[in-house]
Amino acid sequence: MRKAIWAALAVLMTIGGPAAAQNYPSRPITIIVPFSAGGPSDAMARILAERMKTTLGETLLVENVTGAGGSVGVGRAVRSPPDGYTISFGHLGTHVANGAIYKLGYDLVTDLEPVALLPSNPMIIVSKNAVPAKSLKELLEWLKSRPTPPTAGTAGAGSGSHIAGLYFENVSGIKLQYVPYRGTAPALTDLVAGQIDIIVDQTSNSIGQVRAGTIRAYAVTADKRVPSASDIPTTDEAGLPGFHMTLWSGLWVPKGTPKDIVTKLNAAAVEAMADPAVQQKFRDLGLDMPPKDQLTPEALGAWQKAEIAKWWPMIKAANVKVQ
Ligand code: ASP
C-alpha cells in the first residue's frame, strides 16, 4: 500500500518537474505588462510576443495590469505559479526603482528569476506645443519662469518617466509637479491635448507625435543622436551636458520556475531579437538592441543588481512620497 502511494507521488513529481518542462509550453503564456495598452512597454512586449510564438509554438497573451508605477502588475506576476505560464515584463522603473520607493511585499531580486535583457531606449524631453520654446535652453528658461512648478506627466511614482523627471530636476535645478498616469500612453494623450507641460518620456513613446508635429522635442538623453530621429539634438549638445539615461527593459518569471523553462523562454526572446523584421520594428521606435554578450538570464540578474546599486541612492535622496 505504502509502495503504491510513493509510486503515485513519484508520478506526480515527474509531472510537475522535468516532464512538465519537457512538454512546455502546452498552453498560452501570459506576459504581464504593468502599464497601459498603447504605451512603450506594451508596444515592445507585443512585438516580442508575436515572434516568440513562432519559437515556442504557443500564443503569448499580453495582459496590462496597471497601477502604482507598475508594482501592481509585477506583484501579480510574483504571486503566480512558477510554471512558466506567467512572465513579468518590466524595466529600470519596475524592477529597480520601485524597490526604493514602495513597500513592495516582494523582493525584486530574490522573488523573481531573470530571463532576458530586452532593448533599451534613451529618454526624450518633450513639451506641449503651446510652450513658446524652440530649443532646450529656451525650454529651461520657460520652465524656470513659471509662477508655480510646471507639470510633468509620468507613468506613476517609480516609473521610467518619473525617474527621468527626478534626474531632470537634479541636473536643471527646476522643480516639477508630477501628474501620475497608468502608463505614458495616457500621459502622452494629455500632453498632445495641452493638459500637462512636459514629459521626460521614452523616445519610443513620443517619437510618433513628435514626427506628427503635435508635441515638441528638445533633446534625447544619450551621448549619440537616435538614428531614426537624427534632427533631435542630444542633451550634451542642447545644454544639459551629462544628462544621460537609458531605460532598459527585461523579462522575468516567478522564483522557482524550472531552469529548463527559463532556458526555453530566454532562447525564444533571443531568437526574436535576432529576427531582422523585429529589429526593424525596434529601430523605427528608436530602440537599441542589448549587447550580444548580455543576453543570458545571468547577465540580466547581474545588470539588475548593478542598476539597483546605482539608482537607489539618488531615488532615496529624492525622498519620493507615495500616497
Ligand atoms: N514604460 C511605461 C509605459 O509603458 C512608462 C514609464 O515607465 O514611464 O507606459
mmCIF file of all heavy atoms in Angstrom, residues 113-142:
data_model
loop_
_atom_site.group_PDB
_atom_site.id
_atom_site.type_symbol
_atom_site.label_atom_id
_atom_site.label_comp_id
_atom_site.label_asym_id
_atom_site.label_seq_id
_atom_site.Cartn_x
_atom_site.Cartn_y
_atom_site.Cartn_z
ATOM 1 N N GLU A 113 13.003 35.454 -11.146
ATOM 2 C CA GLU A 113 14.087 34.786 -11.867
ATOM 3 C C GLU A 113 14.294 35.544 -13.170
ATOM 4 O O GLU A 113 13.349 35.665 -13.964
ATOM 5 C CB GLU A 113 13.571 33.377 -12.179
ATOM 6 C CG GLU A 113 14.584 32.320 -12.398
ATOM 7 C CD GLU A 113 15.260 31.896 -11.114
ATOM 8 O OE1 GLU A 113 14.607 31.313 -10.248
ATOM 9 O OE2 GLU A 113 16.465 32.194 -11.023
ATOM 10 N N PRO A 114 15.482 36.118 -13.415
ATOM 11 C CA PRO A 114 15.679 36.843 -14.671
ATOM 12 C C PRO A 114 15.620 35.909 -15.876
ATOM 13 O O PRO A 114 16.071 34.751 -15.786
ATOM 14 C CB PRO A 114 17.070 37.461 -14.537
ATOM 15 C CG PRO A 114 17.697 36.843 -13.346
ATOM 16 C CD PRO A 114 16.666 36.123 -12.560
ATOM 17 N N VAL A 115 15.075 36.394 -16.994
ATOM 18 C CA VAL A 115 15.001 35.591 -18.224
ATOM 19 C C VAL A 115 15.876 36.207 -19.317
ATOM 20 O O VAL A 115 16.779 35.565 -19.836
ATOM 21 C CB VAL A 115 13.539 35.462 -18.726
ATOM 22 C CG1 VAL A 115 13.492 34.765 -20.086
ATOM 23 C CG2 VAL A 115 12.694 34.696 -17.716
ATOM 24 N N ALA A 116 15.623 37.469 -19.664
ATOM 25 C CA ALA A 116 16.413 38.075 -20.752
ATOM 26 C C ALA A 116 16.334 39.596 -20.717
ATOM 27 O O ALA A 116 15.266 40.166 -20.459
ATOM 28 C CB ALA A 116 15.930 37.583 -22.112
ATOM 29 N N LEU A 117 17.464 40.209 -20.995
ATOM 30 C CA LEU A 117 17.520 41.667 -21.158
ATOM 31 C C LEU A 117 16.939 42.006 -22.533
ATOM 32 O O LEU A 117 17.184 41.303 -23.509
ATOM 33 C CB LEU A 117 18.983 42.126 -21.072
ATOM 34 C CG LEU A 117 19.273 43.613 -21.151
ATOM 35 C CD1 LEU A 117 18.652 44.374 -19.984
ATOM 36 C CD2 LEU A 117 20.802 43.861 -21.158
ATOM 37 N N LEU A 118 16.151 43.068 -22.587
ATOM 38 C CA LEU A 118 15.482 43.480 -23.834
ATOM 39 C C LEU A 118 16.061 44.822 -24.292
ATOM 40 O O LEU A 118 16.893 45.407 -23.593
ATOM 41 C CB LEU A 118 13.978 43.584 -23.580
ATOM 42 C CG LEU A 118 13.277 42.290 -23.144
ATOM 43 C CD1 LEU A 118 11.809 42.551 -22.873
ATOM 44 C CD2 LEU A 118 13.445 41.187 -24.183
ATOM 45 N N PRO A 119 15.596 45.352 -25.408
ATOM 46 C CA PRO A 119 16.153 46.618 -25.893
ATOM 47 C C PRO A 119 16.005 47.781 -24.907
ATOM 48 O O PRO A 119 15.178 47.736 -23.998
ATOM 49 C CB PRO A 119 15.337 46.887 -27.154
ATOM 50 C CG PRO A 119 14.929 45.554 -27.625
ATOM 51 C CD PRO A 119 14.688 44.754 -26.384
ATOM 52 N N SER A 120 16.808 48.782 -25.141
ATOM 53 C CA SER A 120 16.769 49.965 -24.273
ATOM 54 C C SER A 120 16.476 51.197 -25.135
ATOM 55 O O SER A 120 16.523 51.148 -26.363
ATOM 56 C CB SER A 120 18.092 50.119 -23.539
ATOM 57 O OG SER A 120 19.128 50.216 -24.476
ATOM 58 N N ASN A 121 16.215 52.271 -24.432
ATOM 59 C CA ASN A 121 15.688 53.447 -25.099
ATOM 60 C C ASN A 121 16.159 54.695 -24.377
ATOM 61 O O ASN A 121 15.975 54.807 -23.168
ATOM 62 C CB ASN A 121 14.152 53.351 -24.968
ATOM 63 C CG ASN A 121 13.395 54.065 -26.056
ATOM 64 O OD1 ASN A 121 12.278 54.471 -25.830
ATOM 65 N ND2 ASN A 121 13.982 54.224 -27.211
ATOM 66 N N PRO A 122 16.749 55.662 -25.093
ATOM 67 C CA PRO A 122 17.019 56.927 -24.412
ATOM 68 C C PRO A 122 15.710 57.648 -24.126
ATOM 69 O O PRO A 122 14.683 57.346 -24.747
ATOM 70 C CB PRO A 122 17.861 57.707 -25.401
ATOM 71 C CG PRO A 122 17.607 57.099 -26.725
ATOM 72 C CD PRO A 122 17.180 55.683 -26.490
ATOM 73 N N MET A 123 15.712 58.564 -23.209
ATOM 74 C CA MET A 123 14.533 59.373 -22.929
ATOM 75 C C MET A 123 14.576 60.585 -23.858
ATOM 76 O O MET A 123 15.625 60.924 -24.427
ATOM 77 C CB MET A 123 14.525 59.832 -21.467
ATOM 78 C CG MET A 123 14.718 58.717 -20.442
ATOM 79 S SD MET A 123 13.552 57.344 -20.538
ATOM 80 C CE MET A 123 12.122 58.058 -19.732
ATOM 81 N N ILE A 124 13.445 61.247 -23.970
ATOM 82 C CA ILE A 124 13.359 62.430 -24.820
ATOM 83 C C ILE A 124 12.565 63.481 -24.034
ATOM 84 O O ILE A 124 11.566 63.149 -23.388
ATOM 85 C CB ILE A 124 12.685 62.059 -26.164
ATOM 86 C CG1 ILE A 124 12.713 63.186 -27.177
ATOM 87 C CG2 ILE A 124 11.259 61.587 -25.981
ATOM 88 C CD1 ILE A 124 12.361 62.735 -28.608
ATOM 89 N N ILE A 125 13.063 64.718 -24.052
ATOM 90 C CA ILE A 125 12.357 65.789 -23.333
ATOM 91 C C ILE A 125 11.369 66.410 -24.310
ATOM 92 O O ILE A 125 11.774 66.943 -25.352
ATOM 93 C CB ILE A 125 13.354 66.845 -22.811
ATOM 94 C CG1 ILE A 125 14.426 66.182 -21.928
ATOM 95 C CG2 ILE A 125 12.618 67.943 -22.029
ATOM 96 C CD1 ILE A 125 15.620 67.070 -21.613
ATOM 97 N N VAL A 126 10.084 66.283 -23.984
ATOM 98 C CA VAL A 126 9.045 66.801 -24.887
ATOM 99 C C VAL A 126 8.093 67.722 -24.125
ATOM 100 O O VAL A 126 7.900 67.570 -22.915
ATOM 101 C CB VAL A 126 8.234 65.642 -25.543
ATOM 102 C CG1 VAL A 126 9.041 64.934 -26.612
ATOM 103 C CG2 VAL A 126 7.721 64.644 -24.512
ATOM 104 N N SER A 127 7.520 68.690 -24.861
ATOM 105 C CA SER A 127 6.551 69.596 -24.230
ATOM 106 C C SER A 127 5.300 69.690 -25.093
ATOM 107 O O SER A 127 5.312 69.318 -26.271
ATOM 108 C CB SER A 127 7.148 70.995 -24.067
ATOM 109 O OG SER A 127 7.053 71.715 -25.294
ATOM 110 N N LYS A 128 4.259 70.239 -24.498
ATOM 111 C CA LYS A 128 3.062 70.554 -25.285
ATOM 112 C C LYS A 128 3.444 71.644 -26.286
ATOM 113 O O LYS A 128 4.382 72.432 -26.040
ATOM 114 C CB LYS A 128 1.926 71.015 -24.357
ATOM 115 C CG LYS A 128 2.227 72.282 -23.569
ATOM 116 C CD LYS A 128 1.073 72.620 -22.637
ATOM 117 C CE LYS A 128 1.387 73.873 -21.816
ATOM 118 N NZ LYS A 128 0.368 74.191 -20.834
ATOM 119 N N ASN A 129 2.715 71.715 -27.390
ATOM 120 C CA ASN A 129 3.053 72.681 -28.437
ATOM 121 C C ASN A 129 2.888 74.131 -27.990
ATOM 122 O O ASN A 129 3.521 75.029 -28.548
ATOM 123 C CB ASN A 129 2.200 72.423 -29.685
ATOM 124 C CG ASN A 129 2.916 71.490 -30.657
ATOM 125 O OD1 ASN A 129 4.102 71.209 -30.491
ATOM 126 N ND2 ASN A 129 2.203 71.000 -31.644
ATOM 127 N N ALA A 130 2.042 74.359 -26.988
ATOM 128 C CA ALA A 130 1.785 75.743 -26.551
ATOM 129 C C ALA A 130 2.991 76.368 -25.836
ATOM 130 O O ALA A 130 3.024 77.586 -25.631
ATOM 131 C CB ALA A 130 0.575 75.767 -25.626
ATOM 132 N N VAL A 131 3.987 75.550 -25.467
ATOM 133 C CA VAL A 131 5.182 76.114 -24.812
ATOM 134 C C VAL A 131 5.973 76.914 -25.853
ATOM 135 O O VAL A 131 6.337 76.373 -26.900
ATOM 136 C CB VAL A 131 6.067 74.999 -24.202
ATOM 137 C CG1 VAL A 131 7.384 75.554 -23.694
ATOM 138 C CG2 VAL A 131 5.318 74.275 -23.086
ATOM 139 N N PRO A 132 6.240 78.197 -25.590
ATOM 140 C CA PRO A 132 6.883 79.035 -26.609
ATOM 141 C C PRO A 132 8.408 78.909 -26.590
ATOM 142 O O PRO A 132 9.115 79.898 -26.419
ATOM 143 C CB PRO A 132 6.443 80.448 -26.189
ATOM 144 C CG PRO A 132 6.319 80.348 -24.703
ATOM 145 C CD PRO A 132 5.908 78.950 -24.372
ATOM 146 N N ALA A 133 8.922 77.685 -26.758
ATOM 147 C CA ALA A 133 10.374 77.471 -26.744
ATOM 148 C C ALA A 133 10.777 76.708 -27.990
ATOM 149 O O ALA A 133 10.052 75.808 -28.433
ATOM 150 C CB ALA A 133 10.760 76.683 -25.502
ATOM 151 N N LYS A 134 11.940 77.088 -28.529
ATOM 152 C CA LYS A 134 12.395 76.424 -29.762
ATOM 153 C C LYS A 134 13.637 75.558 -29.507
ATOM 154 O O LYS A 134 14.086 74.842 -30.396
ATOM 155 C CB LYS A 134 12.740 77.476 -30.832
ATOM 156 C CG LYS A 134 11.530 78.289 -31.313
ATOM 157 C CD LYS A 134 10.748 77.524 -32.382
ATOM 158 C CE LYS A 134 9.509 78.242 -32.847
ATOM 159 N NZ LYS A 134 8.439 78.316 -31.841
ATOM 160 N N SER A 135 14.216 75.668 -28.306
ATOM 161 C CA SER A 135 15.417 74.898 -28.002
ATOM 162 C C SER A 135 15.361 74.483 -26.535
ATOM 163 O O SER A 135 14.526 74.996 -25.773
ATOM 164 C CB SER A 135 16.659 75.767 -28.217
ATOM 165 O OG SER A 135 16.620 76.836 -27.268
ATOM 166 N N LEU A 136 16.251 73.579 -26.138
ATOM 167 C CA LEU A 136 16.255 73.135 -24.750
ATOM 168 C C LEU A 136 16.544 74.309 -23.814
ATOM 169 O O LEU A 136 15.919 74.447 -22.754
ATOM 170 C CB LEU A 136 17.297 72.021 -24.550
ATOM 171 C CG LEU A 136 17.362 71.443 -23.138
ATOM 172 C CD1 LEU A 136 16.041 70.796 -22.730
ATOM 173 C CD2 LEU A 136 18.491 70.419 -23.011
ATOM 174 N N LYS A 137 17.469 75.196 -24.222
ATOM 175 C CA LYS A 137 17.802 76.360 -23.372
ATOM 176 C C LYS A 137 16.558 77.218 -23.148
ATOM 177 O O LYS A 137 16.289 77.666 -22.025
ATOM 178 C CB LYS A 137 18.915 77.183 -24.018
ATOM 179 C CG LYS A 137 20.252 76.475 -23.896
ATOM 180 C CD LYS A 137 21.426 77.458 -23.934
ATOM 181 C CE LYS A 137 22.706 76.763 -23.532
ATOM 182 N NZ LYS A 137 23.647 76.551 -24.630
ATOM 183 N N GLU A 138 15.791 77.458 -24.230
ATOM 184 C CA GLU A 138 14.562 78.259 -24.094
ATOM 185 C C GLU A 138 13.521 77.533 -23.238
ATOM 186 O O GLU A 138 12.797 78.156 -22.477
ATOM 187 C CB GLU A 138 13.977 78.569 -25.483
ATOM 188 C CG GLU A 138 14.784 79.615 -26.238
ATOM 189 C CD GLU A 138 14.239 79.890 -27.649
ATOM 190 O OE1 GLU A 138 13.046 79.620 -27.895
ATOM 191 O OE2 GLU A 138 15.015 80.361 -28.477
ATOM 192 N N LEU A 139 13.476 76.208 -23.370
ATOM 193 C CA LEU A 139 12.526 75.441 -22.545
ATOM 194 C C LEU A 139 12.882 75.591 -21.064
ATOM 195 O O LEU A 139 12.014 75.835 -20.220
ATOM 196 C CB LEU A 139 12.535 73.953 -22.930
ATOM 197 C CG LEU A 139 11.671 73.077 -22.016
ATOM 198 C CD1 LEU A 139 10.178 73.297 -22.288
ATOM 199 C CD2 LEU A 139 12.000 71.590 -22.164
ATOM 200 N N LEU A 140 14.177 75.483 -20.753
ATOM 201 C CA LEU A 140 14.612 75.601 -19.352
ATOM 202 C C LEU A 140 14.238 76.981 -18.811
ATOM 203 O O LEU A 140 13.753 77.102 -17.683
ATOM 204 C CB LEU A 140 16.120 75.344 -19.220
ATOM 205 C CG LEU A 140 16.594 73.934 -19.623
ATOM 206 C CD1 LEU A 140 18.114 73.809 -19.503
ATOM 207 C CD2 LEU A 140 15.927 72.842 -18.804
ATOM 208 N N GLU A 141 14.451 78.023 -19.620
ATOM 209 C CA GLU A 141 14.082 79.394 -19.210
ATOM 210 C C GLU A 141 12.592 79.482 -18.917
ATOM 211 O O GLU A 141 12.164 80.036 -17.912
ATOM 212 C CB GLU A 141 14.422 80.405 -20.327
ATOM 213 C CG GLU A 141 15.901 80.700 -20.487
ATOM 214 C CD GLU A 141 16.565 81.021 -19.162
ATOM 215 O OE1 GLU A 141 16.021 81.864 -18.430
ATOM 216 O OE2 GLU A 141 17.609 80.415 -18.851
ATOM 217 N N TRP A 142 11.803 78.922 -19.838
ATOM 218 C CA TRP A 142 10.340 78.989 -19.698
ATOM 219 C C TRP A 142 9.900 78.239 -18.432
ATOM 220 O O TRP A 142 9.086 78.736 -17.656
ATOM 221 C CB TRP A 142 9.671 78.396 -20.950
ATOM 222 C CG TRP A 142 8.171 78.519 -20.918
ATOM 223 C CD1 TRP A 142 7.435 79.605 -21.286
ATOM 224 C CD2 TRP A 142 7.237 77.531 -20.456
ATOM 225 N NE1 TRP A 142 6.089 79.352 -21.093
ATOM 226 C CE2 TRP A 142 5.942 78.082 -20.583
ATOM 227 C CE3 TRP A 142 7.359 76.235 -19.957
ATOM 228 C CZ2 TRP A 142 4.777 77.385 -20.235
ATOM 229 C CZ3 TRP A 142 6.205 75.542 -19.607
ATOM 230 C CH2 TRP A 142 4.930 76.123 -19.742
#
